[in-house]
Amino acid sequence: NTVGAISFLEEGLKVLSDKPELYFQCAAYCFRESQLKRGMTLMENGLLLDYDKHYILFDIFADLKDIPLVRDLINQYRK
């Protein structure tokens, strides 16, 4: 259940806000639930913490690579 996963991950972020993995995981589930604004915010936070871990998004849902907004944001943070 993706809504439950989002809730669980958001609780984890309250305690572990320095973990980019949690941001990317939560962002992936938000995208799946069409919560694009929330997903983009979470993804941006993850990219700020550790750009190289953005692959986590695609490990969870490979089709996120096909979303232009996702690709554009990743490219903005590319070093």
Side-chain angles (χ1 to χ4, degrees):
N1 156 335
T2 54
V3 174
I6 292 168
S7 178
F8 181 77
L9 290 164
E10 286 179 336
E11 286 299 313
L13 283 168
K14 290 178 184 177
V15 180
L16 301 168
S17 62
D18 62 334
K19 301 295 182 191
E21 299 88 348
L22 294 179
Y23 286 100
F24 289 124
Q25 290 171 357
C26 196
Y29 287 108
C30 284
F31 288 128
R32 183 60 59 202
E33 285 294 315
S34 299
Q35 297 178 18
L36 297 181
K37 185 176 179 181
R38 181 72 177 136
M40 293 297 283
T41 299
L42 288 161
M43 189 173 124
E44 187 167 19
N45 288 335
L47 289 166
L48 286 167
L49 287 171
D50 191 341
Y51 171 87
D52 293 330
K53 292 192 178 175
H54 72 271
Y55 69 87
I56 292 168
L57 289 165
F58 310 128
D59 284 350
I60 297 170
F61 298 115
D63 62 331
L64 291 177
K65 292 178 184 176
D66 300 329
I67 299 175
L69 285 172
V70 172
R71 286 194 320 260
D72 291 346
L73 188 58
I74 289 169
N75 288 332
Q76 286 179 21
Y77 284 87
R78 189 174 307 243
K79 297 174 184 172

